[in-house]
Amino acid sequence: MSEDMNQVEATIFQVGVKVKGKVIKVEEKHVLVSVENSKLDGIIPISELSSLHVEKAEDVVSDLDELELEVIKVEEEALILSKRKIDAEKAWDDLEKKFESGEIFEAEIKDVVKGGLVVDLGVRGFVPASLVEDHFVEDFSDYKGKTLTFKIVELDKEKNRLILSHRAVVEEEKIRQKQSLLESLQPGQVLEGTIQRITDFGAFVDIGGIDGLVHISQLSHQHVEKPSDVVEEGQKVNVKVLSVDRDKDRISLSIKETLPGPWTNISEKAPKGSILEGTVKRLISYGAFVEVFPGVEGLVHISQISHKHIGTPHEVLKEGQTVQVKVLDVNEEQQRLSLSIKELQEREQAAPADYELPEESKGFQLGEVIGDKLKNLKN
């Protein structure tokens, strides 16, 4: 009678039939289940538990788990079942929808293999090394067990091929952040950034997913010959937004405008009456400009260059010359400094001419001598 019943059930539960089962025992290499509406035992070989390689059955299922299964073989004493086939069938339908819509989803990295990463989505998903990040990664060993976001970039059910990309998600997010940042940026904002690249004409600064250019003229209040003289890659800097061109994705930044200007507190550094050393920077018709601090030039008017009368400053000064100057007046608000060179020079006194009186005039008043001379001239 029992054999007859088994034969009947073997006829009902043909290969491909879907059944429900409850886990009653987990062995190392297979799982025993009780099959709903059947007196036959159900056996799930470890190879049919998952689309991925499984070392131990207990890594996939536990006692009393209720599973949807497919019959892959009918034996007299048992049904050989597959969890993998049901999972894959459900997975492909879901994955096709995700692929068509471009949906982003999360998945755990199950394994690290040569050439990339493996995830379990009901079917085996592969992430090539080049599609993991938007930068080079030398060692992927730390990725196992991590949960990352993915997009499907290639799907072929017939070939059981599923290619995923985390890099695509990262790049799309950066584009969204860039657009959002561009929309929010306004001239005058001060932000923190990182020097990304240095060129001959300036430095590119990352201000949160987008680069802006600090032109060489905006690196410092002082004259800069080479940007690398004042900044270096990786350096954290504060920058002020000068302009934003959203159509061309161009941002002009300034480091100089976040720094104290050379004229800040100039009244304290160069008070009226103080004596400073400076360098003649420019000679003009009405005077000379002398740099007394980096970026701070004061005017020595031509009248303050020398006690002697001079036609042009070039007569006594030359560019690059070091001179001592006295501060005559300082105006921090208007950034003006009046200087004098002659105030520090001694006035050359003209020596009085010696006048030797004639021998015969000694003892007489000078007026008398002059009077006599005049008389002689009349005669």
Side-chain angles (χ1 to χ4, degrees):
M1 184 68 177
S2 177
E3 290 181 3
D4 292 339
M5 288 295 296
N6 287 351
Q7 289 176 356
V8 171
E9 290 200 15
T11 302
I12 297 173
F13 295 102
Q14 296 178 355
V15 172
V17 173
K18 295 175 176 58
V19 298
K20 291 183 178 180
K22 179 182 288 188
V23 176
I24 55 177
K25 189 174 184 181
V26 180
E27 300 286 357
E28 185 176 355
K29 296 299 180 181
H30 67 271
V31 176
L32 296 178
V33 299
S34 61
V35 180
E36 188 176 280
N37 300 322
S38 174
K39 293 185 178 180
L40 288 177
D41 290 331
I43 299 174
I44 310 173
I46 193 170
S47 60
E48 292 297 326
L49 284 173
S50 171
S51 60
L52 303 183
H53 175 71
V54 178
E55 290 290 340
K56 296 179 181 179
E58 63 185 18
D59 293 336
V60 181
V61 296
S62 301
D63 287 345
L64 304 182
D65 281 353
E66 294 186 353
L67 308 173
E68 289 188 49
L69 307 163
E70 181 178 321
V71 178
I72 58 173
K73 188 177 181 180
V74 179
E75 296 182 349
E76 289 187 4
E77 299 297 328
L79 299 175
I80 309 302
L81 308 171
S82 173
K83 175 178 178 297
R84 176 181 63 82
K85 284 183 174 290
I86 297 295
D87 290 344
E89 186 177 325
K90 290 181 179 179
W92 281 118
D93 291 339
D94 181 55
L95 292 170
E96 284 175 346
K97 292 177 183 178
K98 284 181 167 60
F99 182 46
E100 291 172 2
S101 65
E103 181 182 337
I104 294 171
F105 54 91
E106 291 185 342
E108 181 184 342
I109 306 300
K110 292 295 185 179
D111 202 4
V112 176
V113 297
K114 184 178 180 180
L117 310 175
V118 175
V119 300
D120 182 9
L121 296 172
V123 296
R124 183 182 186 272
F126 182 62
V127 189
S130 61
L131 298 182
V132 177
E133 302 287 0
D134 64 345
H135 57 270
F136 175 73
V137 178
E138 185 174 354
D139 184 7
F140 289 103
S141 57
D142 291 340
Y143 279 71
K144 188 173 182 177
K146 281 186 176 181
T147 297
L148 299 178
T149 49
F150 296 100
K151 281 187 71 173
I152 300 171
V153 294
E154 187 178 341
L155 182 150
D156 190 330
K157 183 177 179 180
E158 297 301 320
K159 296 181 179 179
N160 200 36
R161 181 177 175 82
L162 181 65
I163 305 299
L164 310 175
S165 173
H166 175 62
R167 175 178 177 174
V169 178
V170 172
E171 291 176 342
E172 285 185 10
E173 180 59 27
K174 285 187 175 181
I175 291 173
R176 282 194 293 270
Q177 289 177 353
K178 180 178 179 180
Q179 292 302 320
S180 177
L181 182 58
L182 271 174
E183 292 300 322
S184 66
L185 284 178
Q186 297 296 332
Q189 283 180 289
V190 176
L191 308 166
E192 184 180 69
T194 305
I195 303 292
Q196 290 291 94
R197 288 187 296 124
I198 296 176
T199 67
D200 292 338
F201 54 85
F204 287 93
V205 178
D206 179 1
I207 53 174
I210 185 170
D211 288 353
L213 173 65
V214 180
H215 189 265
I216 188 170
S217 63
Q218 292 295 326
L219 287 172
S220 173
H221 289 289
Q222 301 177 39
H223 175 70
V224 177
E225 290 288 343
K226 295 187 301 181
S228 57
D229 291 340
V230 292
V231 292
E232 60 183 18
E233 291 185 3
Q235 179 181 345
K236 299 288 185 181
V237 292
N238 288 324
V239 291
K240 183 177 181 179
V241 179
L242 299 181
S243 65
V244 181
D245 188 334
R246 294 181 176 86
D247 294 330
K248 296 181 179 179
D249 290 352
R250 291 179 181 175
I251 304 170
S252 295
L253 305 172
S254 174
I255 293 176
K256 177 175 74 175
E257 293 203 15
T258 68
L259 303 173
W263 288 87
T264 302
N265 299 325
I266 193 64
S267 298
E268 298 177 10
K269 295 187 288 185
K272 186 176 180 179
S274 61
I275 298 173
L276 305 170
E277 185 175 87
T279 303
V280 177
K281 288 293 184 179
R282 288 178 293 142
L283 294 176
I284 52 179
S285 60
Y286 56 86
F289 283 97
V290 176
E291 185 179 57
V292 292
F293 296 106
V296 177
E297 293 182 5
L299 174 64
V300 181
H301 190 267
I302 191 170
S303 63
Q304 292 295 326
I305 292 178
S306 174
H307 288 292
K308 296 178 181 180
H309 173 73
I310 58 175
T312 67
H314 296 79
E315 293 178 22
V316 292
L317 296 175
K318 59 181 180 180
E319 291 183 359
Q321 181 180 345
T322 299
V323 293
Q324 295 285 322
V325 293
K326 182 177 180 179
V327 178
L328 301 180
D329 189 40
V330 57
N331 188 321
E332 185 171 325
E333 184 177 340
Q334 296 182 7
Q335 296 187 356
R336 291 181 179 175
L337 201 59
S338 296
L339 308 173
S340 174
I341 294 175
K342 80 175 185 180
E343 289 271 327
L344 302 178
Q345 297 174 341
E346 291 186 8
R347 183 188 295 272
E348 294 182 5
Q349 299 294 332
D354 293 333
Y355 187 81
E356 185 68 29
L357 292 176
E359 188 66 29
E360 63 272 17
S361 68
K362 290 182 179 179
F364 294 89
Q365 294 296 321
L366 179 60
E368 295 175 345
V369 175
I370 295 175
D372 291 341
K373 295 287 186 181
L374 291 174
K375 287 179 182 180
N376 294 332
L377 289 173
K378 289 178 179 180
N379 295 329

